[in-house]
Amino acid sequence: MFPTRINTGRQEPTLSYSDRELSPGMSIMRTFGRHLIIIVFTALLGGLLGAALVRVAPGFGVQESDFDTQLSAETRQALHQQDARERNVLWYYWNYLGGLTHGNLGYSRSMGRPVSELLRDRLAETLRSLTIGVAGGWLLGLALALPATWKRSPLYSTTANIVAGLFLCVPSAVLALLFLVVGSPGKIAIALIVFPKVFRFSRNLLIETYAMPHVLTAKARGLRPTRILAWHVLPNLAGPMLALAGVTVSIAFGAAIPVEVVCDYPGLGQLAWKAALARDVPLLVNLTLIIALVTVAANSFSDLLAPTATRDVL
């Protein structure tokens, strides 16, 4: 005799694939893929909007060649025909993406050189500015945040908050102009723009971490402050600080553009300013694409680490 299955009249629930629990590796790959799609889509959209906004800017379509008496009528006509082809933004952007897949970034008429050469020559200067700005902002922010956590002095905390708030309100171009007037390196202005974000975030994070039970236990056992910081505090700060690193890179990159313009540093910021004055469409599209790509990639990096940071600190 075989056991018979009793039909209760109820249908067993079936789990769809979306309802099943994903493995950690699969979940990470899925999140990474979603952020990668967002990065590519936002960067391409930023390039398209940059190409479209240039066309509605005052003075677009006016050729300097019209005022050059040394050019022939045929040369002026050829330049105007090239301008006419670039006026159709969708046609231009489609051809630009086709050339981008083959490594062709276009030709800058205002600079008289290929865009790839201009970007390659000026990228190193911008990277130096970013390195000085990010490193200086982190050193200054942590140098003020650690004493505010250890001393818990109302006077010190109030003074540090006022200083951080002051630099948070001043535009980077104004800071660069002040450094230019006093004869100091303008790249320090980028560090002062990054510093308030690092100070406020790290101070609040350190206060929360030092209030955790295992840190309080280590203090009660009489461990040295340096050992508590190295073995009990810093491991909990790794995730949140890495998330903050992505944000500070984005902030520093945005501040580097006006700083390079004001201080006349030969970087991407100065190049963007000259391209905007000349209505150089190929150069502006590439620079807009780079700015959008760096900003979205840095923010996505922070978003990927944000859940880990929350679990580690709270």
Side-chain angles (χ1 to χ4, degrees):
M1 296 291 294
F2 294 97
T4 59
R5 183 177 181 180
I6 300 175
N7 188 3
T8 60
R10 294 181 301 178
Q11 186 177 1
E12 293 293 332
T14 58
L15 295 177
S16 62
Y17 179 77
S18 59
D19 294 330
R20 298 172 187 171
E21 185 178 358
L22 295 176
S23 63
M26 193 70 176
S27 178
I28 293 175
M29 292 299 296
R30 190 174 180 179
T31 305
F32 179 79
R34 183 172 65 252
H35 280 277
L36 184 60
I37 293 174
I38 293 174
I39 290 172
V40 174
F41 175 77
T42 307
L44 294 178
L45 181 61
L48 177 61
L49 292 177
L53 290 175
V54 174
R55 283 158 173 76
V56 299
F60 179 76
V62 177
Q63 290 282 352
E64 294 182 3
S65 58
D66 294 338
F67 307 98
D68 192 349
T69 57
Q70 297 180 354
L71 296 178
S72 63
E74 291 80 7
T75 303
R76 293 194 188 97
Q77 185 178 2
L79 291 174
H80 279 290
Q81 288 176 353
Q82 184 176 356
D83 254 2
R85 290 194 298 269
E86 290 183 354
R87 284 185 180 276
N88 188 336
V89 61
L90 295 179
W91 180 89
Y92 170 79
Y93 199 59
W94 177 258
N95 284 274
Y96 164 75
L97 293 178
L100 185 63
T101 57
H102 297 88
N104 181 18
L105 303 182
Y107 187 84
S108 171
R109 282 184 291 171
S110 63
M111 302 289 182
R113 295 176 59 189
V115 175
S116 57
E117 292 183 4
L118 292 171
L119 296 179
R120 184 172 59 250
D121 292 346
R122 294 173 178 260
L123 182 61
E125 180 67 28
T126 300
L127 289 178
R128 281 194 292 269
S129 300
L130 290 179
T131 303
I132 294 174
V134 173
W138 273 82
L139 288 175
L140 185 58
L142 292 176
L144 292 180
L146 284 172
T149 306
W150 290 337
K151 294 181 180 181
R152 296 293 184 92
S153 170
L155 178 61
Y156 180 87
S157 297
T158 303
T159 305
N161 282 327
I162 292 175
V163 173
L166 178 64
F167 286 111
L168 193 63
C169 298
V170 179
S172 56
V174 175
L175 283 176
L177 185 60
L178 292 176
F179 278 99
L180 185 64
V181 170
V182 300
S184 299
K187 295 176 183 178
I188 302 177
I190 305 175
L192 294 178
I193 295 296
V194 173
F195 137 72
K197 185 73 174 179
V198 176
F199 166 73
R200 292 190 171 188
F201 184 85
S202 58
R203 183 202 57 186
N204 296 336
L205 201 61
L206 284 167
I207 291 174
E208 292 181 1
T209 306
Y210 271 100
M212 287 183 170
H214 69 283
V215 178
L216 296 176
T217 303
K219 285 183 177 180
R221 293 178 58 187
L223 297 180
R224 294 191 303 273
T226 54
R227 184 175 179 182
I228 293 175
L229 177 65
W231 292 97
H232 301 282
V233 176
L234 291 182
N236 289 282
L237 302 181
M241 288 303 187
L242 285 175
L244 179 62
V247 177
T248 53
V249 169
S250 177
I251 295 173
F253 192 72
I257 295 176
V259 168
E260 289 181 351
V261 172
V262 173
C263 298
D264 199 26
Y265 291 140
L268 296 180
Q270 185 198 62
L271 187 64
W273 175 255
K274 291 182 177 180
L277 292 178
R279 275 73 173 174
D280 195 328
V281 178
L283 193 53
L284 281 173
V285 169
N286 282 281
L287 288 170
T288 305
L289 194 66
I290 291 173
I291 293 171
L293 188 63
V294 171
T295 303
V296 179
N299 291 335
S300 296
F301 177 77
S302 300
D303 290 341
L304 285 171
L305 293 177
T308 305
T310 305
R311 288 194 301 268
D312 288 341
V313 176
L314 299 180

